[in-house]
Amino acid sequence: MMTRLRLSDCGLSTGKRARLQRILYQHGLRNGTALFLPYDQGLEHGPRDFFDNPDSADPRYIVRLAVEGGFNGIAVQIGLAEKFYWDFAGEVPLVLKLNGKTDIPSDHHALSPLHATVEDAVRLGADAVGYTLYVGTPAHEADFTQFHRVRQDARRFGMPLIVWAYPRGEAVDAKGGKDSFYAVHYAARVASELGADVVKVNFPHPEKRAGVPAPYAGEYSSQDAIDAVVRAANRTLVLISGGGRADDEAMLDKAQESMAAGATGLIFGRNVWQRDHDESLRFIDRLREVLAKHPTP
Amino acid sequence: MMTRLRLSDCGLSTGKRARLQRILYQHGLRNGTALFLPYDQGLEHGPRDFFDNPDSADPRYIVRLAVEGGFNGIAVQIGLAEKFYWDFAGEVPLVLKLNGKTDIPSDHHALSPLHATVEDAVRLGADAVGYTLYVGTPAHEADFTQFHRVRQDARRFGMPLIVWAYPRGEAVDAKGGKDSFYAVHYAARVASELGADVVKVNFPHPEKRAGVPAPYAGEYSSQDAIDAVVRAANRTLVLISGGGRADDEAMLDKAQESMAAGATGLIFGRNVWQRDHDESLRFIDRLREVLAKHPTP
Amino acid sequence: MMTRLRLSDCGLSTGKRARLQRILYQHGLRNGTALFLPYDQGLEHGPRDFFDNPDSADPRYIVRLAVEGGFNGIAVQIGLAEKFYWDFAGEVPLVLKLNGKTDIPSDHHALSPLHATVEDAVRLGADAVGYTLYVGTPAHEADFTQFHRVRQDARRFGMPLIVWAYPRGEAVDAKGGKDSFYAVHYAARVASELGADVVKVNFPHPEKRAGVPAPYAGEYSSQDAIDAVVRAANRTLVLISGGGRADDEAMLDKAQESMAAGATGLIFGRNVWQRDHDESLRFIDRLREVLAKHPTP
Amino acid sequence: MMTRLRLSDCGLSTGKRARLQRILYQHGLRNGTALFLPYDQGLEHGPRDFFDNPDSADPRYIVRLAVEGGFNGIAVQIGLAEKFYWDFAGEVPLVLKLNGKTDIPSDHHALSPLHATVEDAVRLGADAVGYTLYVGTPAHEADFTQFHRVRQDARRFGMPLIVWAYPRGEAVDAKGGKDSFYAVHYAARVASELGADVVKVNFPHPEKRAGVPAPYAGEYSSQDAIDAVVRAANRTLVLISGGGRADDEAMLDKAQESMAAGATGLIFGRNVWQRDHDESLRFIDRLREVLAKHPTP
Amino acid sequence: MMTRLRLSDCGLSTGKRARLQRILYQHGLRNGTALFLPYDQGLEHGPRDFFDNPDSADPRYIVRLAVEGGFNGIAVQIGLAEKFYWDFAGEVPLVLKLNGKTDIPSDHHALSPLHATVEDAVRLGADAVGYTLYVGTPAHEADFTQFHRVRQDARRFGMPLIVWAYPRGEAVDAKGGKDSFYAVHYAARVASELGADVVKVNFPHPEKRAGVPAPYAGEYSSQDAIDAVVRAANRTLVLISGGGRADDEAMLDKAQESMAAGATGLIFGRNVWQRDHDESLRFIDRLREVLAKHPTP
């Protein structure tokens, strides 16, 4: 089992450290692990994601769920942050998502345009910002350029920068797809190399080998893969995405392997709120049990 | 029947609240509902829209009609605002439309360029600004980017931001078209996520199902659809567009269903002024009767 | 009896006209006259002004009184506007006072420093800004300089600029004092020459003649004096201050003479709220009776 | 016969009104009509336009002709303004053309780039600026964006803004071409909606009906068409272009119909200077006779 | 006994509310009260303040004491924040003091110059900023001007602004001195009117009556006085300063009366750290007992 990074070992500035300290030690289990609730699907996929649990269409329901469930933070777009965070300001840390897009046009040249700034995040009392970087997209020049500005602002304001490192675009599709071990491994490293403080990745699938470069064509267990992903991120904290709704036991296994690999935590949305309120809380409890076994020493 | 949002529950800043309070409670029926008169068709479609009622080509005729008809606001482009609003300044609220385009080139990559700023609106004493966001267009990056700037300025100046959320572009055409339930539902949500204070949408057509994502392929009544659209907008006030000239009874049914769903009001242009003056006023009276039955509690 | 200026005759830009139209015709008696409630005494004199009616120390009590009493506006400093206007946003127009000072140091070199901007006023949805200009102070260079900037911003944003034109300083004291006919007459003209849209002056006292220049040494009735003051202001609307608490009948006489002279309205604070709630409302009713007799034609 | 707009009815700022007053009442016939001499063809078409009258290649010849002929203004690009206007500065009003292009590449995606600023116009003592807007071009986003900046500067400096409203681009060609009634009618309206003070259009050709929208497919006389164009422009003054060299009587008929429709004047270049000096002056006299019959009341 | 202000009733922006929520409910007693540790005396008085407890000269000793003692925040100047806060970043909230001065020259024209910005505070992860406003000083114009800028920045960044409202200067000395009821009462109000979120005042001394304005010349108990001070501050949270080292029981009485008056908390420095470590902690415990009796309802 790998050890989790301590904040004092990450080369963080004072402000970034102060804010991550608050997230990791004054919320959730207060043991250096993290459970985040992402809620940007209304933009990314549209309100069809809320059909399974109609209550989930209401951002107030979700923010309250984050408070009740003892999350370490909630990630939303600017519009919801402006309208809904005031009611619970400071009760659960806010991660302001700075870019986003709809899924209506194709993802072949994916680029997620900015619609908020790090200064918005400061103004709203957020403790971190989120940026989606489409690793491998043909639009990567525009992506790197706007990421560059975000990183500079995050540094200037001492704001932790969480990168949603998502392999995307025609070339990714041709080389094993967006959740191959190759793609996730590479994405984690790119985030680290470009200056992320925290990186959010999908759980890697080493069995997806069609078209991947030779070194990834071998046999790897999922534990091998996630271990490598966390190592690739080096001093960048790692969060594992939940992705679309899946079987509970499978999700818990992923969580367990991720934490064992030294990830800092989990960021699970649809698997949490695409079920009714009480079921959500029961599933959250099981996730917290996993985190409780992996405190940062 | 759903309840209409109160201004005090929308997470508004002081200036946005003051201006919306003026629009909703010091004009029109003064009961928290709204009837807006849009008059940007001279740019969007060209002066052919004025052929049925030649008086309607004269902006002064239209502003006076808005005053006489007891509208809650009139939406025009910068050129008309500069030249015609002074005569009636403050008598009817001004909504300055900040972007617009002609319908001469195709809409496959639709983008509506800015030709005025929120500061212009402040300078002219407007009580809101309007922005057309083409949800789903391949040009969404440029659209989100210019919207971002508008949102920041609107926030800075306490100016309510009304988003004309219009599904548009090749991908929309392929997934059910611009007024399917899917497209309107998604558009309302996007406006809310990106920070609109008010969203203007077309009335959704659940019967348009060709190519829509699976959750929208079922049977929905128009009331089901409009209810869902208003819920998707959450703390964003909803206005329903009239669109092209249609049968009066059909328009009044739409109005009734929209208000029952909790929409804040209507924004009807061609259905109002593409007939002679007295007929316009008679139709306005019937719209006001609908609004009068749905005061904000 | 002089006629009151119409807004359409004042050379106003669209935004200034829209905002003054709202103040004069959508609040109060809606007849083109105005009754304003000033509440900056907590800064200008300190909380001792609230001892006679302890409720008056609470800004919420005062804003509510302005709403109940049907005032055309309430004038406060930035701190109170930020904290208290939201609750009543848009229900009574806000006049944001941009400068102010305590009365602790002497007034010999009086200068009222800025602590808010026209942009703050825009952001808060105010319908006018107020600026205290100390006419005759030895610090007039600094005063004119900061006024210059305020006027530019007011023009840029279409925001009506109300000047508290107060004769002040050693030289004023030596030439008849701050409320002589000479001093008030001169102050009204200075405000008009420098670009005020509205000027607030004290009622002139022609009997204060010690040290005044020769032309003011003659016998003038108070009606002569106030007539001349309004004429001196030309296309600048005139508001008459109440000043410190005085006898009701004397105040009503002043009000009557001011309106007969063509003033647009009154701005009475301590005479209103330094008494209990019901007495305040009774006195307000008597002021409204005076205004009702002098509608703008 | 329609009446011509008076300057006092156009909603103009002080500076714009002052400059247009100079153009319309202190030059030419001094009766509120205008005859402009455009001289940007050296850029737009190249010097081949000067072959018929070699003197016309010399800008000094043209400026002198404008003075001799009693024009209300001369429109040139920045280079000629810098080098030739000094000699006659103030003798004839200068209209500085701010953008322009060659006709070497195709006009399918036409856009006319800026090469001067409103501030250049101020510096040179110009009384107006000119901007070519290509209505309907696929490049309309870039066009609207640069126009936006020009309009803001023109407002800031009180400089009248004359828009050369030219239908252009593939879609225009497919819908009746650049001088159909449809295209000219729409172009005049777009200029008005976007904030032109004066719009320059080609004389409309209602007989060009191939591909035009239905409402334009009927029978219209040229007088009907030009009447509608002037009405569509509402409070924007209208100038009619001469276009390429044509028969004198046909030009004079156009002029007569335009003035009868309420246009403010004419802007004729090649028809004026593509002949020798004395003939030019004789033709100018005939144009002035038309204008003399249509004074602004 | 008065009730303490809730954060939701203070008219705070989202960011200010989030940060104050963290200070008041995630540190100290977590009951809405506050105990702050100020440590700017090394600048304000010089290191002679550390003679009684030499350890107190070491900023690291003090920050650790704040953590051990369960303080709600520690207030320091920029130099110490840069060098000492990293070690404990996020463990105790940081209040960055933005201005300060030595006590070497006289206080007759007192002004406390800025040496840090709100942006510094953001960068360091601070949860509030502090500004010393010298109420009544002849230098009030410069003071109001620099405060104005700080207030704007604090608003822009959602950073709570704590005003050290200190009566100072010749005129204050002549009217009862800096801790008279009159002076403290006025100072609290000035902070509120100018836009403080929190005001720090000295405990008022109603028995200091020499030279005070008439309304303060009567008999008031210290409870009457502190009650009035908290009321004058209205929606501005009140902190009571400890001032110089005094008798423990007297300090505890002040604390008790302040909390009973509705103050939010205490900011005690020298009374805490001018004694050895264990005594400090014992005294802190007694202060916490007082706060525990006055939770925010």
Side-chain angles (χ1 to χ4, degrees):
Chain A
M1 200 189 306
M2 322 266 303
T3 43
R4 226 162 315 289
L5 271 177
R6 294 166 197 261
L7 287 185
S8 54
D9 295 334
C10 292
L12 294 163
S13 71
T14 304
K16 288 188 175 195
R17 183 177 179 186
R19 290 179 170 98
L20 286 171
Q21 171 78 23
R22 285 203 286 259
I23 289 173
L24 298 178
Y25 293 95
Q26 289 166 25
H27 292 274
L29 293 168
R30 300 166 181 268
N31 68 347
T33 65
L35 182 61
F36 286 95
L37 191 65
Y39 186 64
D40 57 350
Q41 295 83 354
L43 175 64
E44 298 287 340
H45 314 138
R48 69 172 182 262
D49 275 17
F50 310 134
F51 279 32
D52 284 349
N53 173 19
D55 285 345
S56 69
D58 177 8
R60 188 176 162 87
Y61 169 87
I62 296 290
V63 187
R64 176 172 289 163
L65 183 65
V67 173
E68 288 172 348
F71 278 79
N72 296 72
I74 179 165
V76 294
Q77 304 283 357
I78 184 70
L80 305 191
E82 294 276 10
K83 293 180 193 114
F84 290 89
Y85 188 57
W86 190 89
D87 301 20
F88 300 93
E91 295 185 40
V92 60
L94 173 66
V95 178
L96 186 68
K97 193 70 202 321
L98 302 185
N99 61 348
K101 61 171 194 57
T102 71
D103 68 355
I104 302 175
S106 101
D107 260 3
H108 275 52
H109 295 73
L111 176 67
S112 184
L114 286 170
H115 35 67
T117 62
V118 180
E119 194 174 318
D120 283 320
V122 169
R123 177 174 52 82
L124 291 167
D127 277 322
V129 291
Y131 180 92
T132 296
L133 187 82
Y134 285 133
V135 177
T137 176
H140 63 125
E141 290 142 26
D143 203 1
F144 279 28
T145 299
Q146 70 179 3
F147 177 70
H148 178 191
R149 235 173 321 135
V150 167
R151 182 186 58 74
Q152 293 280 22
D153 286 347
R155 188 187 53 74
R156 177 177 156 218
F157 292 124
M159 181 64 69
L161 173 50
I162 305 178
V163 171
W164 271 233
Y166 282 178
R168 212 55 54 98
E170 305 159 332
V172 168
D173 294 343
K175 297 186 185 179
K178 64 190 185 182
D179 54 0
S180 71
F181 175 19
Y182 161 63
V184 174
H185 196 204
Y186 202 160
R189 186 67 185 200
V190 169
S192 161
E193 300 253 353
L194 296 191
D197 300 306
V198 183
V199 61
K200 168 185 193 280
V201 287
N202 286 311
F203 196 87
H205 287 254
E207 74 281 8
K208 301 205 173 174
R209 298 195 191 89
V212 298
Y216 296 92
E219 288 283 336
Y220 297 98
S221 70
S222 59
Q223 187 69 56
D224 292 339
I226 186 68
D227 284 355
V229 166
V230 173
R231 268 198 313 272
N234 49 78
R235 288 188 175 169
T236 302
L237 305 176
V238 175
L239 301 178
I240 302 300
S241 290
R245 184 74 191 274
D247 173 73
D248 281 9
E249 300 311 315
M251 294 308 295
L252 290 161
D253 286 351
K254 268 197 206 183
Q256 165 58 32
E257 289 185 355
S258 301
M259 297 308 292
T264 292
L266 309 169
I267 175 161
F268 280 24
R270 284 168 284 170
N271 281 285
V272 167
W273 46 253
Q274 281 183 344
R275 43 179 119 200
D276 80 28
H277 182 259
D278 292 353
E279 270 192 72
S280 291
L281 290 177
R282 272 192 294 271
F283 183 62
I284 292 164
D285 275 347
R286 298 191 62 191
L287 293 172
R288 287 166 66 98
E289 280 165 23
V290 176
L291 298 181
K293 284 183 215 136
H294 298 86
T296 301
Chain B
M1 201 188 306
M2 323 265 302
T3 43
R4 226 161 313 290
L5 269 178
R6 293 164 196 263
L7 288 184
S8 54
D9 295 334
C10 293
L12 295 163
S13 72
T14 302
K16 289 188 175 195
R17 185 178 177 184
R19 290 180 171 96
L20 286 172
Q21 172 78 22
R22 284 203 287 260
I23 290 174
L24 297 179
Y25 293 95
Q26 289 166 24
H27 291 275
L29 292 169
R30 299 164 182 269
N31 70 345
T33 65
L35 182 62
F36 286 95
L37 191 64
Y39 187 63
D40 58 350
Q41 294 83 355
L43 175 64
E44 297 287 340
H45 314 137
R48 69 171 182 263
D49 276 15
F50 310 134
F51 280 30
D52 285 348
N53 172 21
D55 285 345
S56 68
D58 177 8
R60 187 176 163 87
Y61 169 87
I62 296 289
V63 187
R64 177 171 288 162
L65 183 65
V67 172
E68 288 172 346
F71 278 79
N72 296 73
I74 179 165
V76 295
Q77 305 284 356
I78 183 71
L80 305 191
E82 293 276 11
K83 293 180 194 114
F84 290 89
Y85 188 57
W86 189 90
D87 302 19
F88 300 93
E91 296 185 39
V92 60
L94 173 65
V95 178
L96 186 68
K97 193 70 203 319
L98 301 184
N99 61 348
K101 62 171 195 57
T102 72
D103 67 355
I104 302 174
S106 102
D107 262 3
H108 274 51
H109 295 73
L111 176 67
S112 184
L114 286 170
H115 35 68
T117 61
V118 180
E119 194 174 319
D120 283 320
V122 169
R123 178 175 51 82
L124 292 166
D127 277 321
V129 292
Y131 180 92
T132 296
L133 186 82
Y134 285 133
V135 176
T137 177
H140 65 124
E141 290 140 25
D143 204 1
F144 280 27
T145 298
Q146 70 179 3
F147 177 72
H148 178 189
R149 236 175 319 137
V150 168
R151 182 187 60 74
Q152 293 279 25
D153 286 347
R155 188 185 57 71
R156 178 177 156 217
F157 292 125
M159 182 64 70
L161 174 48
I162 306 178
V163 171
W164 271 233
Y166 283 178
R168 213 53 55 99
E170 307 158 332
V172 167
D173 294 342
K175 296 185 187 180
K178 65 189 184 182
D179 53 1
S180 72
F181 175 19
Y182 161 63
V184 174
H185 196 205
Y186 202 157
R189 185 70 183 200
V190 169
S192 160
E193 299 253 349
L194 296 191
D197 301 306
V198 183
V199 62
K200 169 186 192 280
V201 287
N202 286 312
F203 196 88
H205 286 255
E207 73 282 7
K208 301 206 173 173
R209 297 195 193 89
V212 299
Y216 296 92
E219 288 282 337
Y220 297 98
S221 69
S222 59
Q223 188 68 58
D224 292 340
I226 186 67
D227 284 355
V229 167
V230 173
R231 267 200 312 272
N234 50 76
R235 288 185 175 169
T236 304
L237 304 176
V238 175
L239 300 178
I240 302 300
S241 290
R245 184 75 190 273
D247 173 72
D248 280 9
E249 300 310 314
M251 294 308 294
L252 289 162
D253 285 353
K254 268 196 204 184
Q256 165 58 31
E257 289 186 356
S258 300
M259 297 308 292
T264 291
L266 309 170
I267 176 161
F268 280 23
R270 286 169 283 171
N271 281 284
V272 167
W273 46 253
Q274 281 183 343
R275 46 178 118 200
D276 79 28
H277 182 259
D278 292 353
E279 269 193 73
S280 290
L281 290 177
R282 272 192 295 271
F283 183 61
I284 292 165
D285 274 348
R286 298 191 63 191
L287 293 172
R288 287 166 65 98
E289 280 165 25
V290 175
L291 298 182
K293 283 185 214 133
H294 298 86
T296 301
Chain C
M1 202 187 303
M2 323 267 301
T3 43
R4 228 161 316 291
L5 271 177
R6 292 165 198 262
L7 287 185
S8 55
D9 296 334
C10 291
L12 294 163
S13 71
T14 303
K16 289 189 175 195
R17 184 177 178 186
R19 290 179 170 97
L20 286 171
Q21 172 78 22
R22 285 204 286 260
I23 291 174
L24 297 178
Y25 293 94
Q26 289 167 23
H27 291 274
L29 293 169
R30 299 166 180 267
N31 68 347
T33 64
L35 182 62
F36 286 95
L37 192 64
Y39 186 62
D40 58 349
Q41 295 83 354
L43 175 65
E44 297 287 341
H45 314 138
R48 69 172 182 263
D49 275 17
F50 310 133
F51 280 30
D52 285 349
N53 173 20
D55 285 344
S56 69
D58 177 9
R60 188 175 163 86
Y61 169 87
I62 296 288
V63 187
R64 177 172 288 165
L65 184 64
V67 173
E68 288 172 345
F71 278 79
N72 296 72
I74 180 165
V76 295
Q77 305 283 356
I78 184 69
L80 304 191
E82 293 276 11
K83 292 179 194 116
F84 291 89
Y85 188 56
W86 190 90
D87 301 20
F88 300 93
E91 296 186 39
V92 60
L94 173 65
V95 178
L96 186 68
K97 192 69 200 324
L98 302 184
N99 62 349
K101 62 173 194 54
T102 72
D103 69 353
I104 302 175
S106 102
D107 261 3
H108 274 53
H109 295 72
L111 176 67
S112 184
L114 286 171
H115 34 68
T117 63
V118 179
E119 194 174 318
D120 283 320
V122 169
R123 178 175 50 82
L124 292 166
D127 277 320
V129 292
Y131 180 92
T132 296
L133 186 81
Y134 285 134
V135 176
T137 176
H140 64 125
E141 289 142 25
D143 204 1
F144 280 28
T145 299
Q146 71 179 4
F147 177 71
H148 177 192
R149 236 173 320 137
V150 167
R151 181 185 59 73
Q152 294 280 24
D153 286 347
R155 185 185 58 71
R156 178 177 156 218
F157 292 124
M159 183 62 72
L161 172 50
I162 305 178
V163 171
W164 271 231
Y166 282 178
R168 214 50 58 96
E170 305 159 334
V172 168
D173 294 343
K175 297 185 185 180
K178 66 190 183 180
D179 54 2
S180 71
F181 175 20
Y182 160 65
V184 173
H185 196 205
Y186 202 159
R189 185 71 185 197
V190 168
S192 160
E193 300 253 353
L194 296 191
D197 299 306
V198 183
V199 61
K200 170 186 193 277
V201 288
N202 286 312
F203 196 87
H205 287 255
E207 74 282 8
K208 300 206 174 171
R209 297 194 194 89
V212 298
Y216 296 92
E219 287 283 335
Y220 296 98
S221 69
S222 59
Q223 187 70 57
D224 292 339
I226 186 67
D227 284 355
V229 166
V230 173
R231 268 197 314 271
N234 51 77
R235 287 188 175 171
T236 303
L237 305 176
V238 175
L239 301 177
I240 303 299
S241 292
R245 183 75 191 275
D247 173 71
D248 280 8
E249 300 310 316
M251 294 308 294
L252 289 162
D253 286 352
K254 267 196 205 185
Q256 165 57 34
E257 289 186 356
S258 300
M259 297 308 290
T264 291
L266 310 169
I267 176 161
F268 281 23
R270 285 168 284 170
N271 281 284
V272 167
W273 46 253
Q274 282 183 343
R275 45 178 116 200
D276 79 30
H277 182 258
D278 293 353
E279 269 192 74
S280 290
L281 290 177
R282 272 192 295 271
F283 182 61
I284 292 164
D285 275 347
R286 298 193 61 191
L287 293 172
R288 287 167 66 99
E289 281 166 24
V290 175
L291 297 182
K293 284 183 213 136
H294 298 85
T296 299
Chain D
M1 201 188 308
M2 323 266 303
T3 43
R4 226 161 314 291
L5 269 178
R6 295 163 196 262
L7 288 184
S8 55
D9 295 333
C10 292
L12 294 162
S13 72
T14 304
K16 289 189 174 195
R17 185 177 177 184
R19 290 181 171 95
L20 285 172
Q21 174 78 22
R22 281 204 290 263
I23 290 174
L24 297 179
Y25 293 95
Q26 289 168 25
H27 291 274
L29 293 169
R30 297 166 181 267
N31 69 347
T33 65
L35 183 62
F36 286 95
L37 191 64
Y39 187 64
D40 57 350
Q41 294 83 355
L43 175 65
E44 296 286 341
H45 314 137
R48 69 169 185 266
D49 275 17
F50 310 133
F51 281 24
D52 285 349
N53 172 20
D55 285 345
S56 68
D58 177 8
R60 187 176 162 85
Y61 169 86
I62 296 289
V63 187
R64 176 172 290 163
L65 183 64
V67 172
E68 288 171 346
F71 278 79
N72 296 72
I74 178 165
V76 295
Q77 304 284 357
I78 183 71
L80 305 192
E82 295 276 11
K83 296 184 190 107
F84 291 89
Y85 189 58
W86 188 90
D87 301 21
F88 300 92
E91 296 185 40
V92 61
L94 173 65
V95 178
L96 185 68
K97 193 70 201 322
L98 303 184
N99 62 347
K101 62 172 194 54
T102 72
D103 67 355
I104 302 174
S106 102
D107 262 3
H108 273 52
H109 294 73
L111 176 67
S112 184
L114 287 170
H115 35 66
T117 62
V118 180
E119 196 172 320
D120 284 321
V122 169
R123 179 174 51 81
L124 292 165
D127 277 319
V129 291
Y131 181 92
T132 296
L133 186 81
Y134 286 134
V135 176
T137 177
H140 65 123
E141 290 140 24
D143 204 1
F144 280 27
T145 299
Q146 72 179 2
F147 176 72
H148 179 190
R149 237 173 319 134
V150 168
R151 182 187 60 74
Q152 293 280 23
D153 287 347
R155 188 184 57 72
R156 178 175 156 222
F157 290 122
M159 181 64 70
L161 173 50
I162 305 178
V163 170
W164 272 233
Y166 283 179
R168 219 44 61 97
E170 308 158 329
V172 168
D173 294 342
K175 298 185 186 179
K178 66 189 182 182
D179 53 1
S180 71
F181 175 20
Y182 162 63
V184 174
H185 196 205
Y186 202 158
R189 184 71 183 199
V190 168
S192 159
E193 299 253 349
L194 296 191
D197 300 307
V198 183
V199 62
K200 170 185 192 281
V201 287
N202 287 311
F203 197 87
H205 286 256
E207 72 282 7
K208 301 206 173 172
R209 297 196 191 89
V212 299
Y216 296 92
E219 289 282 335
Y220 297 98
S221 70
S222 60
Q223 188 67 57
D224 291 340
I226 186 68
D227 284 355
V229 166
V230 174
R231 268 201 312 272
N234 51 76
R235 288 184 175 170
T236 302
L237 304 176
V238 174
L239 301 177
I240 302 299
S241 291
R245 184 73 190 276
D247 172 72
D248 280 9
E249 300 312 313
M251 294 308 293
L252 289 161
D253 286 352
K254 266 198 207 182
Q256 165 57 32
E257 288 186 353
S258 300
M259 297 308 291
T264 290
L266 309 169
I267 175 159
F268 280 23
R270 284 167 285 171
N271 281 285
V272 168
W273 46 254
Q274 281 182 346
R275 44 179 122 198
D276 79 27
H277 182 258
D278 293 352
E279 266 193 77
S280 290
L281 290 177
R282 270 192 297 273
F283 183 61
I284 292 164
D285 275 346
R286 296 192 64 192
L287 293 173
R288 286 166 66 96
E289 280 165 26
V290 176
L291 297 182
K293 284 184 215 134
H294 298 86
T296 300
Chain E
M1 201 189 301
M2 323 265 303
T3 44
R4 228 161 315 290
L5 270 177
R6 293 164 197 261
L7 287 185
S8 55
D9 294 334
C10 292
L12 294 163
S13 72
T14 304
K16 290 188 174 195
R17 185 176 176 185
R19 290 179 171 96
L20 286 171
Q21 172 79 21
R22 286 203 286 258
I23 291 174
L24 297 178
Y25 292 94
Q26 290 167 22
H27 291 274
L29 293 168
R30 300 166 180 267
N31 69 347
T33 65
L35 182 61
F36 286 95
L37 191 65
Y39 186 64
D40 57 350
Q41 295 83 354
L43 175 66
E44 296 286 342
H45 314 138
R48 70 171 182 263
D49 275 18
F50 311 133
F51 280 27
D52 285 351
N53 173 18
D55 285 345
S56 68
D58 176 9
R60 188 176 162 87
Y61 169 87
I62 296 289
V63 187
R64 176 171 290 162
L65 182 65
V67 172
E68 290 172 344
F71 278 79
N72 297 73
I74 178 166
V76 295
Q77 304 283 356
I78 184 69
L80 305 192
E82 295 277 11
K83 296 183 190 108
F84 292 89
Y85 188 57
W86 189 89
D87 302 19
F88 300 93
E91 296 185 40
V92 61
L94 173 65
V95 178
L96 186 68
K97 192 70 200 323
L98 301 184
N99 63 349
K101 62 172 194 56
T102 72
D103 68 353
I104 303 176
S106 103
D107 262 2
H108 274 52
H109 295 72
L111 177 68
S112 183
L114 286 170
H115 35 66
T117 62
V118 180
E119 195 174 318
D120 284 321
V122 169
R123 179 176 49 84
L124 292 165
D127 278 320
V129 292
Y131 181 92
T132 297
L133 186 82
Y134 286 134
V135 177
T137 175
H140 64 125
E141 289 141 24
D143 204 0
F144 279 27
T145 298
Q146 71 179 4
F147 176 71
H148 178 191
R149 237 173 319 138
V150 168
R151 181 187 60 74
Q152 294 279 25
D153 287 347
R155 186 183 59 71
R156 178 177 156 217
F157 292 123
M159 182 62 72
L161 172 49
I162 306 178
V163 171
W164 272 232
Y166 282 178
R168 216 47 59 96
E170 306 160 331
V172 167
D173 294 343
K175 297 184 186 181
K178 66 189 183 183
D179 54 1
S180 71
F181 175 19
Y182 161 65
V184 174
H185 197 205
Y186 202 160
R189 184 72 184 198
V190 168
S192 160
E193 298 252 350
L194 296 191
D197 300 306
V198 183
V199 60
K200 168 185 192 281
V201 287
N202 286 311
F203 197 87
H205 286 256
E207 73 282 7
K208 300 206 174 173
R209 296 195 194 90
V212 298
Y216 297 92
E219 288 282 336
Y220 296 98
S221 70
S222 60
Q223 188 68 58
D224 292 339
I226 186 67
D227 284 355
V229 166
V230 173
R231 267 199 315 270
N234 50 78
R235 288 185 175 170
T236 303
L237 305 176
V238 175
L239 300 177
I240 302 299
S241 292
R245 182 75 191 273
D247 173 73
D248 280 8
E249 300 311 315
M251 294 308 293
L252 290 161
D253 285 351
K254 267 196 206 185
Q256 165 57 34
E257 288 186 355
S258 300
M259 296 308 290
T264 291
L266 310 169
I267 175 161
F268 280 22
R270 285 167 284 170
N271 281 285
V272 167
W273 47 253
Q274 282 183 344
R275 47 178 117 198
D276 78 29
H277 182 259
D278 293 353
E279 268 192 77
S280 290
L281 291 177
R282 272 193 295 273
F283 183 61
I284 291 164
D285 275 347
R286 297 193 62 193
L287 293 173
R288 287 166 65 97
E289 281 166 24
V290 175
L291 297 182
K293 282 183 215 136
H294 297 86
T296 299

